[in-house]
Amino acid sequence: MSHWLISGGSALAGTVSVQGSKNAALPILAATLLIEEPIELKNCPVIRDTENMLRILRSLGCTVKREADALVVDSRTANRFVLPTALSGELRSSIFLLGSVLSRFGAADAPYPGGCEIGNRPIDLHLRGLRALNASITEEGGRIRCAGSLTGATVDLGYPSVGATENIMLAACRAAGTTTIRNAACEPEIVDLQNFLCACGFRVQGAGTPTVVIDGVKQGHGTSYRIMPDRIVTGTYLLLGAITGGDVTVTGAQAETVNPLLMKLSECGCLVTARDGSVRVKAPKRPRAVGFTETRPYPGFPTDLQPQLFALLSVAEGTSVVTENVFESRFRHAQELRKMGAENRILDRTAIITGVEKLHGACVTAHDLRGGAALALAGLFAEGETQILHAERIERGYERMDSVIALLGGTVTRKEESIGE
Ligand code: EPZ
């Protein structure tokens, strides 16, 4: 377990570049199993989740090596379709591998991914989609076993699930015939996956709209691909400036993918400018409250920035209301913020946040990735020192966030603790 010690109270200012997207890299790494030639990936973030995905690919027989700033994955040596229980259990998004492993080997065997801190995370839409493509699937003993020669089909998703959309896209690339996914998720990461798949010679179109069409082909080919910038990390780093009354510029970003947050920051009284891949936030001494925010699938306000916005609104002038429509229990950061002096009430999926002028340092716990990032934001605002336990959960998705904070003038000390200490 690692924990962070944060000293708050100073305005953060400066320029930082943003990492590659975790949520684009994970399905793209899963997709490498579809191509039996070397794949070079640039801008793949070095974080716990991608490192775990690489471990899983190696356990399936792939060779993986990092060369300078590129990652080379070669799945020609892949020879196993059973996903390792421990690694896949820790990495929920290993479920994306079902589609690509099943397509490559005609079989796949994976542990049932458990729930997590933000909800029970069912996979019914994934399994229904794979069954529609002629996979036979049994679920027993905590494992999912798939088999079959995949054929194209029309899949209507009951909910625009990001992961289910990606899983079905991967399963369909080498299936016999055409697959149409309706009510598909429209997130930018799905467009990035489509761009990667097309760069490998697969025939995918419509990503970014509710209808994605894949014409199955026999084989893909190797390519070199640069992963898109991480829009959630972009938003989180802009909030470092917003919550501390600072002035932060994020470079290498795609402003249009974080537009819902940029609009909120403007509503809070921040001066937001975006030009040529850079986004700058110049914050007021104290942000104004924002009446009502609700998370929605893209292009709505992203659930992955809800905890971080929650932290900002906790110190805003006035009362804000936030509704979490995507996950059923994504407010665990609220109680941790209350330990720091925040005032909020949770009524099922809605939070009533009464902004306070001050927060004080406290010992708090990162229950999940984005909730942990929210606590880091609050710690940088608070007077005194904040200790964040289980900061390794933040490190699942943020590449050296402690160094980024230091670069902007913040003080974070990272400590590793062996189990039992
Ligand atoms: C992806 O998770 C992201 N993870 C999540 O980011 C993100 O919060 C989420 O999409 C929504 O944008 C990755 O891309 C690795 P969903 P995913 O399937 O695919 C329900 C982060 O912090 N659902 O769109 O799991 C589900 O319970 C992470 O980076 C079903 O009911 O999200 C949830 O309520 C957190 N049945 C809703 O859909 C299913 O079969 C959205 O889930 C699948 C999902």
Side-chain angles (χ1 to χ4, degrees):
M1 173 177 98
S2 75
H3 64 255
W4 288 4
L5 293 174
I6 296 181
S7 301
S10 53
L12 296 195
T15 299
V16 288
S17 61
V18 69
Q19 70 186 59
S21 166
K22 167 177 87 77
N23 291 351
L26 290 170
I28 287 173
L29 287 170
T32 58
L33 278 163
L34 297 173
I35 299 106
E36 297 171 53
E37 290 181 6
I39 297 280
E40 182 185 65
L41 294 175
K42 296 193 170 146
N43 207 30
C44 183
V46 181
I47 51 180
R48 289 165 64 97
D49 276 9
T50 50
E51 292 307 295
N52 274 338
M53 181 62 92
L54 293 174
R55 284 192 194 94
I56 294 172
L57 290 176
R58 285 194 192 95
S59 76
L60 299 179
C62 298
T63 55
V64 173
K65 54 181 185 293
R66 277 197 186 277
E67 291 166 357
D69 71 338
L71 183 68
V72 178
V73 181
D74 186 345
S75 79
R76 278 176 295 188
T77 47
N79 57 10
R80 283 173 53 82
F81 61 81
V82 180
L83 273 65
T85 302
L87 273 176
S88 313
E90 182 182 343
L91 180 65
R92 275 197 43 75
S93 36
S94 58
I95 196 70
F96 295 151
L97 280 161
L98 272 190
S100 53
V101 171
L102 177 58
S103 169
R104 173 69 182 270
F105 297 110
D109 182 327
Y112 205 94
C116 68
E117 304 72 19
I118 59 177
N120 65 19
R121 313 292 291 274
I123 59 168
D124 56 308
L125 297 173
H126 294 247
L127 302 186
R128 201 173 306 146
L130 296 178
R131 285 191 172 105
L133 270 66
N134 191 41
S136 66
I137 299 177
T138 55
E139 300 168 66
E140 59 189 29
R143 293 195 74 89
I144 304 160
R145 293 184 173 82
C146 312
S149 172
L150 296 171
T151 52
T154 294
V155 181
D156 287 295
L157 285 180
Y159 177 92
S161 157
V162 171
T165 301
E166 291 165 342
N167 225 337
I168 297 163
M169 284 167 72
L170 297 180
C173 277
R174 292 175 44 167
T178 297
T179 295
T180 301
I181 307 171
R182 293 201 294 226
N183 196 28
C186 301
E187 273 66 8
E189 292 77 18
I190 293 177
V191 177
D192 213 37
L193 177 60
Q194 171 178 284
N195 294 341
F196 169 75
L197 292 170
C198 291
C200 294
F202 292 112
R203 296 171 57 190
V204 189
Q205 55 184 322
T209 78
T211 303
V212 178
V213 180
I214 306 101
D215 291 315
V217 297
K218 282 229 177 311
Q219 274 293 349
H221 56 70
T223 190
S224 175
Y225 187 78
R226 183 174 180 78
I227 289 168
M228 68 176 276
D230 193 307
R231 61 190 171 104
I232 304 302
V233 173
T234 298
T236 305
Y237 289 171
L238 292 172
L239 281 157
L240 287 171
I243 199 168
T244 59
D247 182 351
V248 169
T249 299
V250 178
T251 59
Q254 287 173 348
E256 67 280 6
T257 62
V258 276
N259 210 35
L261 175 75
L262 302 186
M263 288 162 52
K264 294 289 172 188
L265 292 176
S266 303
E267 272 184 74
C268 288
C270 294
L271 179 63
V272 180
T273 48
R275 189 174 46 248
D276 309 331
S278 283
V279 189
R280 180 182 177 187
V281 165
K282 198 166 171 5
K285 183 92 183 75
R286 187 175 181 200
R288 292 194 298 268
V290 167
F292 185 69
T293 302
E294 57 173 2
T295 64
R296 291 276 177 210
Y298 196 84
F301 189 89
T303 177
D304 291 349
L305 280 171
Q306 175 266 104
Q308 302 91 313
L309 179 70
F310 193 121
L312 178 69
L313 298 176
S314 297
V315 300
E317 192 168 358
T319 298
S320 307
V321 177
V322 174
T323 295
E324 172 54 61
N325 291 309
V326 176
F327 288 105
E328 64 269 26
S329 58
R330 197 170 201 173
F331 282 134
R332 294 193 66 186
H333 46 281
Q335 65 188 21
E336 302 304 320
L337 291 167
R338 288 199 293 272
K339 291 177 187 171
M340 302 173 73
E343 290 177 19
N344 58 63
R345 280 186 307 129
I346 307 300
L347 310 165
D348 189 23
R349 287 193 177 217
T350 292
I352 317 284
I353 304 166
T354 306
V356 295
E357 277 195 80
K358 292 187 185 310
L359 292 178
H360 54 76
C363 178
V364 292
T365 299
H367 292 291
D368 60 270
L369 163 56
R370 308 302 176 183
L375 297 176
L377 290 170
L380 288 162
F381 171 85
E383 289 170 349
E385 189 172 78
T386 295
Q387 183 177 28
I388 301 180
L389 306 180
H390 284 293
E392 73 280 0
R393 290 171 183 156
I394 304 173
E395 294 157 6
R396 278 188 42 218
Y398 290 88
E399 200 175 52
R400 301 308 319 272
M401 183 174 180
D402 50 339
S403 307
V404 167
I405 291 171
L407 206 61
L408 295 171
T411 311
V412 183
T413 311
R414 182 181 181 280
K415 289 191 184 312
E416 279 286 348
E417 246 179 46
S418 54
I419 305 291
E421 248 183 35

